Amino acid sequence: MTRTLVATHGRTALLAIAGPAVIGAALGMPFGLSKLLAEAGMVTAIVVGLSVFMIPALYIGTTLIGAAPSADRVGASAASALRAGGTLLLGLAPATVFLIATSQTRLVVWALGFLVLAASMLASLRILFSDLFTTSAARLRALPVFLVWSVVSLGLGAHLFARSLERSGATTIAQSVIEPDDKE
Amino acid sequence: MQNVIEDLAPQAEPTSPPFASPGLAAIDQLLRDVPAFLDRIREGKNLAELARAMILTVAVGAAVFGAAMGAHRGGIQVLYSAVKLPAVMLLTTAVCAPALTAFNAAFRRQASMRRDLSLVLSSLALTCLVLAAQAPIVFLAVELGAAYHTVILLVVGCCCLAGIVGLTLFQRGLGLDPSAGRWAVGIALLMVFGVVGTQMSWTLRPFLVRPRTPEAPFVRSLEGSFLAAVVTSSRSARGIYWRESAPLPGESRRAP
């Protein structure tokens, strides 16, 4: 029983960490090995760290409106959501690596990074919401708090991610170079 | 009299011999009996054999259509396009197939890499069979002397039709799992496939060579991306240029 629990939790942790790490590595790939490793660490830290930072706020907010499940369940649901997000990122990794490897503009790195991470986070939020609030009444009551919490979390995540990309050398969107075309 | 009656009685139709190859039988089932074909995928029966048959179907079907496209230029371009189009299809599948399993897992649907890959390959195989069936139309247009851009539009139309047929099979296959999220998964994978497929095609271009190109290369050098090309083309459409004409192979790309 203990071995099964350890195996399950281990697999969850591995998927939650591997997904962001692989995507981060893909995004840092055009800028050299050191940036690749740095970005892999940064994206993982942002995804996992932000989740750990924000989950207590969700628990407190939903408790205040009387819609919160137990703390254990909140933790388990958060882990499940992170696992789903990590799995999605791993599935999108081959496509992301290919698109970055065959493109020559920084805009692509930015756009792909935001798109892929946003897709993963939205999938995680969906699972978290459906796991935590299982009845229609609970969902209705918790929806405003959950929405505000989601917007703040996504906003923080986007801001931290943009700063990490700038540090890795991807510069800003405004500085991305796309050559104008020629007359034919 | 009895012999006449027996002669006039409807004869039992001779049973056609079963396909010698299980691969051909699978292709025939894909065309004639889609529900049974999808059941086979759902039950996981002989998926390795099915995948091999589907990969071969994609390779041959896309090669036939690629050859028809390359016939516009003629010569070695027929072979180049016959090789590159199957490569685009199969490489895109290899890159995108894990995404389907990931989407199914994220939406808490049944996620099995073997079944998902079989479904994607089967949809692509049906797409390529329809493409192969339309190859004579492209070839006829080429033989009648259709202009470059006319052939481009014809090829796009053929690919759209084939794509719709393949997509229909794919959505039916997703429906084998009654869990929620079928349409979201289908749309998400279509977007991933679309983006990766267009970039893969861009990377392996050209398929139809511009008439003024003196010598058809197998693959052009990697220049930008499909997205960048769409952006710059939109600027060209508004009259924003930075040089007089596109360089021919070997000429410098940069303005003096």
Side-chain angles (χ1 to χ4, degrees), chain B:
Chain B
M1 183 65 174
Q2 185 67 23
N3 290 340
V4 171
I5 292 171
E6 280 171 3
D7 286 343
L8 289 175
Q11 303 290 320
E13 284 189 10
T15 53
S16 54
F19 285 97
S21 151
L24 286 176
I27 294 166
D28 196 60
Q29 191 181 45
L30 174 65
L31 289 168
R32 290 172 174 276
D33 193 358
V34 170
F37 187 88
L38 291 176
D39 279 340
R40 176 179 174 177
I41 294 178
R42 183 175 49 83
E43 290 161 16
K45 273 194 264 185
N46 296 329
L47 290 183
E49 186 182 276
L50 182 75
R52 276 193 295 271
M54 295 302 108
I55 288 171
L56 198 59
T57 306
V58 169
V60 172
V64 168
F65 192 76
M69 281 201 294
H72 180 261
R73 174 73 177 201
I76 194 72
Q77 189 60 31
V78 175
L79 178 64
Y80 285 173
S81 297
V83 166
K84 287 192 293 183
L85 192 60
V88 167
M89 300 285 194
L90 293 172
L91 289 173
T92 304
T93 302
V95 169
C96 295
L100 175 58
T101 308
F103 287 138
N104 278 328
F107 280 88
R108 293 195 165 158
R109 295 166 52 82
Q110 292 171 20
S112 159
M113 183 74 101
R114 289 170 64 243
R115 276 202 297 263
D116 292 338
L117 181 62
S118 299
L119 178 61
V120 172
L121 280 172
S122 304
S123 306
L124 204 55
L126 186 59
T127 301
C128 289
L129 283 170
V130 175
L131 276 179
Q134 295 175 100
I137 301 173
V138 175
F139 191 64
L140 178 65
V142 167
E143 286 297 298
L144 292 177
Y148 170 72
H149 290 287
T150 306
V151 176
I152 290 272
L153 289 175
L154 180 62
V155 164
V156 169
C158 292
C159 291
C160 284
L161 179 61
I164 289 168
V165 174
L167 202 57
T168 307
L169 173 69
F170 181 69
Q171 277 301 121
R172 285 180 72 175
L174 285 181
L176 294 174
D177 175 4
S179 316
R182 164 188 168 193
W183 286 101
V185 169
I187 290 168
L189 189 73
L190 182 63
M191 286 168 60
V192 173
F193 221 91
V195 172
V196 174
T198 48
Q199 183 62 17
M200 190 71 74
S201 308
W202 179 261
T203 304
L204 293 182
R205 74 193 199 287
F207 297 90
L208 267 87
V209 184
R210 286 183 182 275
R212 76 187 192 100
T213 305
E215 198 178 315
F218 180 67
V219 170
R220 286 227 175 91
S221 58
L222 195 61
E223 299 159 351
S225 67
F226 181 78
L227 175 64
V230 169
V231 171
T232 52
S233 288
S234 71
R235 295 169 82 145
S236 299
R238 286 177 280 140
I240 303 168
Y241 307 103
W242 66 300
R243 59 187 169 197
E244 281 300 313
S245 66
L248 292 173
E251 288 178 2
S252 167
R253 261 191 76 79
R254 300 258 169 202

Side-chain angles (χ1 to χ4, degrees), chain A residues 123-178:
Chain A
S124 297
L125 287 172
R126 180 181 173 274
I127 284 177
L128 184 63
F129 187 72
S130 61
D131 269 2
L132 287 177
F133 314 110
T134 50
T135 65
S136 310
R139 283 179 185 175
L140 206 58
R141 208 177 323 138
L143 187 61
V145 172
F146 191 86
L147 272 177
V148 171
W149 177 84
S150 300
V151 166
V152 172
S153 304
L154 289 172
L156 261 173
H159 175 71
L160 291 171
F161 177 62
R163 284 183 62 185
S164 83
L165 275 187
E166 281 172 19
R167 264 192 239 110
S168 74
T171 65
T172 60
I173 291 178
Q175 292 170 315
S176 298
V177 173
I178 299 175

Side-chain angles (χ1 to χ4, degrees), chain A residues 85-102:
Chain A
T87 307
L88 187 60
L89 287 175
L90 280 175
L92 290 172
T96 306
V97 168
F98 167 71
L99 289 170
I100 288 176
T102 56

Side-chain angles (χ1 to χ4, degrees), chain A residues 54-64 68-72 74 149:
Chain A
M54 293 298 295
I55 284 294
L58 177 65
Y59 179 68
I60 294 166
T62 50
T63 308
L64 289 173
S70 65
D72 282 350
V74 171
W149 177 84

